[in-house]
Amino acid sequence: MAKLTDPQQAEEAAQRLLNDRMDYVRRAITARGALDEAREALKEAEKNDVQAFQAAVNNGGWTAEELRKIGLAAPEKVQRVQRRRKATQTTSDTPAESAQDGGGTEPEQ
């Protein structure tokens, strides 16, 4: 490497190095922006998928089982909500059953 005695030449060399490094930052920022846009598009597509599936069930006269049989499984979000509802119903039924059985707090002998 040649010795630089002119401050202007040193500054230009340093600027070239910085520009090369900044290219990486620019590409990373561009990629992150594309990723954010893709995530938003995915959210919107998932929302539309859930709405269309629910419309088929609620307004179109289809059952979730019929749709599944023809190859259209319930969207993940709908499946999670259905599982959560079933778990909530099971959990809420359990205390009532325990109360009918005497509360289940007495130790067995």
Side-chain angles (χ1 to χ4, degrees), residues 35-102:
L35 178 61
D36 290 344
E37 288 176 17
R39 283 183 175 146
E40 285 301 314
L42 177 60
K43 281 182 193 177
E44 186 68 22
E46 286 175 333
K47 183 180 93 175
N48 292 340
D49 181 42
V50 168
Q51 288 174 345
F53 185 86
Q54 288 177 330
V57 171
N58 297 334
N59 303 329
W62 293 93
T63 66
E65 180 65 21
E66 290 170 329
L67 293 171
R68 187 189 62 75
K69 284 181 181 177
I70 61 173
L72 185 61
E76 275 295 313
K77 184 174 182 179
V78 171
Q79 291 174 358
R80 283 193 310 267
V81 170
Q82 288 172 345
R83 280 194 297 263
R84 207 175 314 135
R85 282 185 189 150
K86 287 179 185 177
T88 302
Q89 289 171 354
T90 303
T91 305
S92 63
D93 291 346
T94 305
E97 292 170 4
S98 295
Q100 291 173 356
D101 294 343

Coordinates of all heavy atoms in Angstrom, one line a residue, residues 35-102:
L35 N -38.9 -7.8 4.0 CA -39.4 -8.8 5.0 C -40.6 -8.3 5.7 O -41.6 -8.9 5.9 CB -38.3 -9.2 6.0 CG -38.7 -10.2 7.1 CD1 -39.1 -11.5 6.5 CD2 -37.5 -10.4 8.0
D36 N -40.5 -7.0 6.2 CA -41.7 -6.4 6.9 C -42.9 -6.3 5.9 O -44.0 -6.6 6.4 CB -41.3 -5.0 7.3 CG -40.3 -5.0 8.5 OD1 -40.1 -6.1 9.1 OD2 -39.7 -4.0 8.8
E37 N -42.7 -6.0 4.7 CA -43.8 -5.9 3.7 C -44.4 -7.3 3.5 O -45.6 -7.5 3.4 CB -43.3 -5.3 2.4 CG -43.0 -3.9 2.4 CD -42.5 -3.3 1.1 OE1 -42.6 -4.0 0.1 OE2 -41.9 -2.2 1.2
A38 N -43.5 -8.3 3.4 CA -44.0 -9.7 3.2 C -44.8 -10.2 4.4 O -45.8 -10.9 4.3 CB -42.8 -10.6 2.9
R39 N -44.3 -9.8 5.6 CA -45.1 -10.2 6.8 C -46.4 -9.6 6.8 O -47.4 -10.2 7.2 CB -44.3 -9.8 8.1 CG -43.1 -10.7 8.4 CD -42.4 -10.4 9.6 NE -41.4 -11.3 9.9 CZ -40.2 -11.0 10.5 NH1 -40.0 -9.8 10.9 NH2 -39.4 -12.0 10.8
E40 N -46.5 -8.3 6.5 CA -47.8 -7.6 6.4 C -48.7 -8.2 5.4 O -49.9 -8.4 5.6 CB -47.6 -6.1 6.1 CG -47.1 -5.3 7.3 CD -48.0 -5.4 8.5 OE1 -49.2 -5.3 8.4 OE2 -47.5 -5.6 9.7
A41 N -48.1 -8.6 4.2 CA -48.9 -9.2 3.2 C -49.4 -10.6 3.7 O -50.6 -11.0 3.4 CB -48.1 -9.4 1.9
L42 N -48.6 -11.3 4.4 CA -49.0 -12.6 4.9 C -50.1 -12.5 5.9 O -51.1 -13.2 5.9 CB -47.8 -13.3 5.6 CG -48.1 -14.7 6.3 CD1 -48.6 -15.7 5.3 CD2 -46.8 -15.2 6.9
K43 N -50.0 -11.5 6.8 CA -51.1 -11.2 7.8 C -52.4 -10.9 7.1 O -53.4 -11.5 7.4 CB -50.7 -10.0 8.7 CG -49.8 -10.3 9.8 CD -49.6 -9.0 10.6 CE -48.4 -9.1 11.5 NZ -48.2 -7.9 12.3
E44 N -52.3 -10.1 6.1 CA -53.5 -9.8 5.3 C -54.1 -11.0 4.6 O -55.3 -11.2 4.6 CB -53.2 -8.7 4.3 CG -54.4 -8.1 3.5 CD -55.4 -7.3 4.4 OE1 -55.0 -6.8 5.5 OE2 -56.5 -7.2 4.0
A45 N -53.2 -11.8 4.0 CA -53.7 -13.0 3.3 C -54.3 -14.0 4.3 O -55.3 -14.6 4.0 CB -52.5 -13.7 2.6
E46 N -53.7 -14.1 5.5 CA -54.3 -15.0 6.5 C -55.6 -14.5 7.0 O -56.6 -15.3 7.1 CB -53.3 -15.2 7.7 CG -52.1 -16.0 7.4 CD -51.1 -16.0 8.5 OE1 -51.0 -15.1 9.3 OE2 -50.3 -17.0 8.6
K47 N -55.8 -13.2 7.1 CA -57.0 -12.7 7.6 C -58.1 -12.9 6.5 O -59.2 -13.3 6.8 CB -56.9 -11.2 7.8 CG -58.1 -10.5 8.3 CD -57.9 -9.0 8.5 CE -58.3 -8.3 7.2 NZ -58.3 -6.9 7.3
N48 N -57.7 -12.7 5.2 CA -58.7 -13.0 4.1 C -59.0 -14.5 4.0 O -60.2 -14.8 3.8 CB -58.1 -12.5 2.8 CG -58.0 -11.0 2.7 OD1 -58.6 -10.3 3.5 ND2 -57.1 -10.5 1.8
D49 N -58.1 -15.3 4.3 CA -58.3 -16.8 4.3 C -59.3 -17.2 5.4 O -60.3 -17.9 5.1 CB -57.0 -17.5 4.5 CG -57.2 -19.0 4.4 OD1 -57.9 -19.5 3.6 OD2 -56.5 -19.7 5.3
V50 N -59.1 -16.6 6.6 CA -60.0 -16.9 7.7 C -61.4 -16.4 7.4 O -62.4 -17.1 7.5 CB -59.5 -16.3 9.0 CG1 -60.6 -16.4 10.1 CG2 -58.2 -17.1 9.4
Q51 N -61.5 -15.2 6.9 CA -62.8 -14.6 6.5 C -63.5 -15.4 5.5 O -64.7 -15.6 5.6 CB -62.7 -13.1 6.1 CG -62.3 -12.2 7.3 CD -62.0 -10.8 6.8 OE1 -61.8 -10.5 5.6 NE2 -62.0 -9.9 7.8
A52 N -62.8 -15.8 4.4 CA -63.4 -16.6 3.4 C -63.9 -17.9 3.8 O -65.0 -18.4 3.5 CB -62.5 -16.7 2.2
F53 N -63.1 -18.6 4.7 CA -63.5 -19.9 5.2 C -64.7 -19.8 6.1 O -65.7 -20.5 6.0 CB -62.3 -20.5 6.0 CG -62.6 -21.9 6.5 CD1 -62.3 -23.0 5.7 CD2 -63.1 -22.1 7.8 CE1 -62.6 -24.3 6.1 CE2 -63.4 -23.4 8.2 CZ -63.1 -24.5 7.4
Q54 N -64.7 -18.8 7.0 CA -65.8 -18.6 7.9 C -67.1 -18.2 7.1 O -68.2 -18.6 7.5 CB -65.5 -17.5 8.9 CG -64.5 -18.0 9.9 CD -64.1 -17.0 11.0 OE1 -64.1 -15.8 10.7 NE2 -63.8 -17.4 12.2
A55 N -66.9 -17.4 6.0 CA -68.1 -17.1 5.2 C -68.7 -18.3 4.5 O -69.9 -18.5 4.4 CB -67.7 -16.1 4.1
A56 N -67.8 -19.2 4.1 CA -68.3 -20.5 3.5 C -69.1 -21.3 4.5 O -70.1 -21.9 4.2 CB -67.1 -21.3 3.0
V57 N -68.6 -21.3 5.8 CA -69.3 -22.0 6.8 C -70.6 -21.3 7.3 O -71.6 -21.9 7.4 CB -68.3 -22.3 8.0 CG1 -69.1 -22.9 9.2 CG2 -67.2 -23.2 7.6
N58 N -70.4 -20.0 7.6 CA -71.5 -19.3 8.2 C -72.6 -18.9 7.2 O -73.8 -18.8 7.5 CB -71.0 -18.0 8.9 CG -70.1 -18.3 10.0 OD1 -70.2 -19.4 10.6 ND2 -69.2 -17.4 10.3
N59 N -72.2 -18.5 5.9 CA -73.2 -18.0 5.0 C -73.4 -18.9 3.8 O -74.4 -18.9 3.1 CB -72.7 -16.6 4.4 CG -72.5 -15.6 5.5 OD1 -73.2 -15.7 6.5 ND2 -71.6 -14.7 5.3
G60 N -72.4 -19.8 3.5 CA -72.5 -20.6 2.3 C -73.1 -22.0 2.5 O -73.3 -22.7 1.6
G61 N -73.4 -22.3 3.8 CA -74.1 -23.5 4.0 C -73.1 -24.8 4.1 O -73.6 -25.9 4.2
W62 N -71.9 -24.5 4.1 CA -70.9 -25.6 4.3 C -70.6 -25.9 5.7 O -70.6 -24.9 6.5 CB -69.6 -25.3 3.5 CG -69.8 -25.2 2.0 CD1 -70.0 -24.1 1.3 CD2 -69.7 -26.3 1.1 NE1 -70.1 -24.5 0.0 CE2 -69.9 -25.8 -0.2 CE3 -69.5 -27.7 1.3 CZ2 -69.9 -26.6 -1.3 CZ3 -69.5 -28.5 0.2 CH2 -69.7 -28.0 -1.1
T63 N -70.2 -27.1 6.0 CA -69.7 -27.4 7.4 C -68.2 -27.4 7.2 O -67.6 -27.7 6.1 CB -70.2 -28.7 7.9 OG1 -69.7 -29.8 7.2 CG2 -71.7 -28.7 8.0
A64 N -67.5 -27.2 8.3 CA -66.0 -27.3 8.3 C -65.6 -28.7 7.9 O -64.6 -28.9 7.2 CB -65.5 -26.9 9.7
E65 N -66.3 -29.7 8.3 CA -66.0 -31.1 8.0 C -66.2 -31.3 6.5 O -65.3 -32.0 5.9 CB -67.0 -32.0 8.8 CG -66.7 -33.5 8.5 CD -65.4 -34.0 8.9 OE1 -64.7 -33.4 9.8 OE2 -64.9 -35.1 8.4
E66 N -67.2 -30.8 5.9 CA -67.4 -30.9 4.4 C -66.3 -30.3 3.7 O -65.7 -30.8 2.7 CB -68.7 -30.3 4.0 CG -70.0 -31.1 4.4 CD -71.3 -30.3 4.2 OE1 -71.2 -29.1 4.2 OE2 -72.3 -31.0 3.9
L67 N -65.9 -29.1 4.1 CA -64.8 -28.4 3.4 C -63.5 -29.2 3.6 O -62.7 -29.2 2.7 CB -64.7 -27.0 4.0 CG -65.8 -26.0 3.7 CD1 -65.7 -24.7 4.5 CD2 -65.9 -25.7 2.2
R68 N -63.3 -29.7 4.8 CA -62.1 -30.5 5.0 C -62.1 -31.7 4.0 O -61.0 -32.1 3.4 CB -62.0 -31.0 6.4 CG -60.7 -31.7 6.7 CD -60.7 -32.3 8.1 NE -61.7 -33.4 8.3 CZ -61.6 -34.6 7.7 NH1 -60.6 -34.9 7.0 NH2 -62.5 -35.5 7.9
K69 N -63.2 -32.4 3.9 CA -63.3 -33.5 3.0 C -63.0 -33.2 1.5 O -62.5 -34.1 0.8 CB -64.7 -34.2 3.1 CG -64.9 -35.0 4.4 CD -66.3 -35.6 4.4 CE -66.5 -36.4 5.7 NZ -67.8 -36.9 5.8
I70 N -63.3 -32.0 1.1 CA -63.0 -31.6 -0.3 C -61.6 -31.0 -0.4 O -61.2 -30.6 -1.5 CB -64.1 -30.7 -0.9 CG1 -64.2 -29.4 -0.2 CG2 -65.4 -31.4 -1.0 CD1 -65.1 -28.4 -0.8
G71 N -60.9 -31.0 0.7 CA -59.5 -30.5 0.6 C -59.2 -29.1 1.1 O -58.1 -28.6 1.0
L72 N -60.2 -28.5 1.8 CA -60.0 -27.2 2.3 C -60.1 -27.2 3.8 O -61.1 -27.1 4.4 CB -61.1 -26.2 1.7 CG -60.9 -24.8 2.1 CD1 -59.6 -24.2 1.6 CD2 -62.1 -24.0 1.6
A73 N -58.9 -27.5 4.4 CA -58.9 -27.5 5.9 C -59.1 -26.1 6.5 O -58.8 -25.1 5.8 CB -57.5 -28.1 6.3
A74 N -59.6 -26.1 7.7 CA -59.7 -24.8 8.4 C -58.4 -24.1 8.5 O -57.4 -24.8 8.8 CB -60.4 -25.1 9.8
P75 N -58.4 -22.8 8.3 CA -57.1 -22.1 8.5 C -56.6 -22.3 10.0 O -57.4 -22.5 10.9 CB -57.5 -20.6 8.3 CG -58.8 -20.7 7.6 CD -59.5 -22.0 8.0
E76 N -55.3 -22.2 10.1 CA -54.7 -22.4 11.4 C -55.3 -21.5 12.5 O -55.6 -22.0 13.6 CB -53.2 -22.0 11.4 CG -52.3 -23.1 10.9 CD -52.3 -24.3 11.8 OE1 -52.1 -24.2 13.0 OE2 -52.5 -25.5 11.3
K77 N -55.6 -20.3 12.2 CA -56.2 -19.4 13.3 C -57.6 -20.0 13.7 O -57.9 -20.0 14.9 CB -56.4 -18.0 12.7 CG -56.9 -17.0 13.8 CD -56.9 -15.6 13.2 CE -57.3 -14.6 14.3 NZ -57.3 -13.3 13.8
V78 N -58.4 -20.4 12.8 CA -59.7 -21.0 13.1 C -59.5 -22.2 14.0 O -60.2 -22.4 15.0 CB -60.5 -21.3 11.9 CG1 -61.8 -22.0 12.2 CG2 -60.9 -20.0 11.2
Q79 N -58.5 -23.1 13.6 CA -58.3 -24.3 14.3 C -57.9 -24.0 15.8 O -58.3 -24.6 16.7 CB -57.2 -25.2 13.6 CG -57.7 -25.7 12.3 CD -56.6 -26.4 11.6 OE1 -55.5 -26.5 12.0 NE2 -56.9 -27.0 10.4
R80 N -57.0 -23.0 15.9 CA -56.5 -22.6 17.3 C -57.7 -22.1 18.1 O -57.8 -22.5 19.3 CB -55.5 -21.5 17.2 CG -54.1 -22.0 16.8 CD -53.0 -20.9 17.1 NE -53.3 -19.6 16.6 CZ -53.0 -19.2 15.4 NH1 -52.3 -19.9 14.6 NH2 -53.3 -17.9 15.0
V81 N -58.6 -21.3 17.5 CA -59.7 -20.8 18.3 C -60.7 -21.9 18.6 O -61.2 -21.9 19.8 CB -60.5 -19.7 17.4 CG1 -61.8 -19.3 18.1 CG2 -59.6 -18.4 17.3
Q82 N -60.9 -22.8 17.7 CA -61.8 -23.9 18.0 C -61.2 -24.8 19.1 O -61.9 -25.2 20.0 CB -62.0 -24.8 16.8 CG -62.9 -24.1 15.7 CD -62.9 -24.9 14.4 OE1 -62.1 -25.8 14.2 NE2 -63.9 -24.5 13.6
R83 N -59.9 -25.1 19.1 CA -59.3 -25.8 20.2 C -59.4 -25.1 21.5 O -59.7 -25.7 22.5 CB -57.8 -26.1 19.9 CG -57.6 -27.3 18.9 CD -56.2 -27.7 18.9 NE -55.3 -26.7 18.4 CZ -54.8 -26.6 17.2 NH1 -55.2 -27.4 16.2 NH2 -54.0 -25.6 16.8
R84 N -59.2 -23.8 21.5 CA -59.3 -23.0 22.7 C -60.7 -23.0 23.3 O -60.9 -23.2 24.4 CB -58.8 -21.6 22.4 CG -58.2 -20.9 23.6 CD -57.7 -19.5 23.3 NE -56.8 -19.4 22.2 CZ -56.9 -18.5 21.2 NH1 -57.8 -17.5 21.4 NH2 -56.1 -18.5 20.2
R85 N -61.7 -22.9 22.4 CA -63.1 -23.0 22.8 C -63.4 -24.3 23.5 O -64.0 -24.4 24.5 CB -64.0 -22.7 21.6 CG -64.1 -21.3 21.3 CD -65.2 -21.1 20.2 NE -65.1 -19.7 19.7 CZ -65.4 -19.4 18.5 NH1 -65.8 -20.3 17.6 NH2 -65.4 -18.1 18.1
K86 N -63.0 -25.4 22.8 CA -63.2 -26.7 23.4 C -62.5 -26.9 24.7 O -63.1 -27.4 25.7 CB -62.7 -27.8 22.4 CG -63.6 -28.0 21.2 CD -63.0 -29.0 20.3 CE -63.8 -29.1 19.0 NZ -63.2 -30.1 18.1
A87 N -61.3 -26.4 24.9 CA -60.6 -26.5 26.1 C -61.3 -25.6 27.2 O -61.4 -26.0 28.3 CB -59.1 -26.0 26.0
T88 N -61.8 -24.5 26.8 CA -62.5 -23.6 27.7 C -63.8 -24.2 28.2 O -64.1 -24.2 29.4 CB -62.8 -22.2 27.1 OG1 -61.5 -21.6 26.7 CG2 -63.5 -21.3 28.1
Q89 N -64.5 -24.8 27.3 CA -65.8 -25.5 27.6 C -65.5 -26.7 28.5 O -66.2 -26.9 29.5 CB -66.5 -26.0 26.3 CG -67.1 -24.8 25.6 CD -67.6 -25.3 24.2 OE1 -67.4 -26.4 23.8 NE2 -68.2 -24.3 23.5
T90 N -64.5 -27.4 28.2 CA -64.1 -28.6 29.1 C -63.7 -28.1 30.5 O -64.2 -28.7 31.5 CB -63.0 -29.4 28.5 OG1 -63.4 -29.8 27.1 CG2 -62.7 -30.6 29.3
T91 N -62.9 -27.1 30.5 CA -62.5 -26.5 31.8 C -63.6 -26.0 32.6 O -63.8 -26.2 33.8 CB -61.4 -25.4 31.6 OG1 -60.4 -26.0 30.8 CG2 -60.9 -25.0 32.9
S92 N -64.5 -25.2 31.9 CA -65.7 -24.6 32.6 C -66.7 -25.7 33.1 O -67.4 -25.5 34.1 CB -66.3 -23.6 31.8 OG -66.9 -24.2 30.6
D93 N -66.7 -26.8 32.4 CA -67.6 -27.9 32.8 C -67.1 -28.6 34.0 O -67.9 -29.1 34.9 CB -67.8 -28.9 31.7 CG -68.6 -28.4 30.5 OD1 -69.2 -27.3 30.7 OD2 -68.5 -29.0 29.4
T94 N -65.8 -28.7 34.2 CA -65.2 -29.5 35.2 C -65.6 -29.0 36.6 O -66.0 -29.8 37.4 CB -63.6 -29.5 35.1 OG1 -63.4 -30.0 33.8 CG2 -63.0 -30.4 36.1
P95 N -65.5 -27.7 37.0 CA -65.9 -27.3 38.3 C -67.4 -27.6 38.6 O -67.7 -27.9 39.7 CB -65.7 -25.7 38.3 CG -64.6 -25.5 37.3 CD -64.9 -26.6 36.2
A96 N -68.3 -27.4 37.6 CA -69.7 -27.7 37.8 C -69.9 -29.2 38.2 O -70.6 -29.5 39.1 CB -70.5 -27.3 36.6
E97 N -69.1 -30.0 37.5 CA -69.2 -31.5 37.8 C -68.7 -31.8 39.2 O -69.3 -32.5 39.9 CB -68.4 -32.3 36.7 CG -69.1 -32.2 35.3 CD -68.1 -32.8 34.3 OE1 -67.1 -33.3 34.6 OE2 -68.5 -32.8 33.1
S98 N -67.6 -31.1 39.5 CA -67.0 -31.3 40.9 C -68.0 -30.8 41.9 O -68.1 -31.5 43.0 CB -65.7 -30.5 41.0 OG -64.8 -31.0 40.1
A99 N -68.7 -29.7 41.7 CA -69.7 -29.2 42.7 C -70.8 -30.2 42.8 O -71.3 -30.4 43.9 CB -70.2 -27.9 42.2
Q100 N -71.2 -30.8 41.7 CA -72.3 -31.8 41.8 C -71.9 -33.1 42.5 O -72.7 -33.7 43.2 CB -72.8 -32.2 40.4 CG -73.5 -31.1 39.7 CD -73.8 -31.4 38.3 OE1 -73.4 -32.4 37.8 NE2 -74.5 -30.5 37.6
D101 N -70.6 -33.4 42.5 CA -70.1 -34.6 43.2 C -69.7 -34.3 44.6 O -69.1 -35.1 45.2 CB -68.8 -35.1 42.4 CG -69.1 -35.6 41.0 OD1 -70.3 -35.9 40.8 OD2 -68.2 -35.7 40.2
G102 N -70.1 -33.2 45.1 CA -69.7 -32.8 46.5 C -68.5 -32.0 46.6 O -67.9 -31.9 47.6

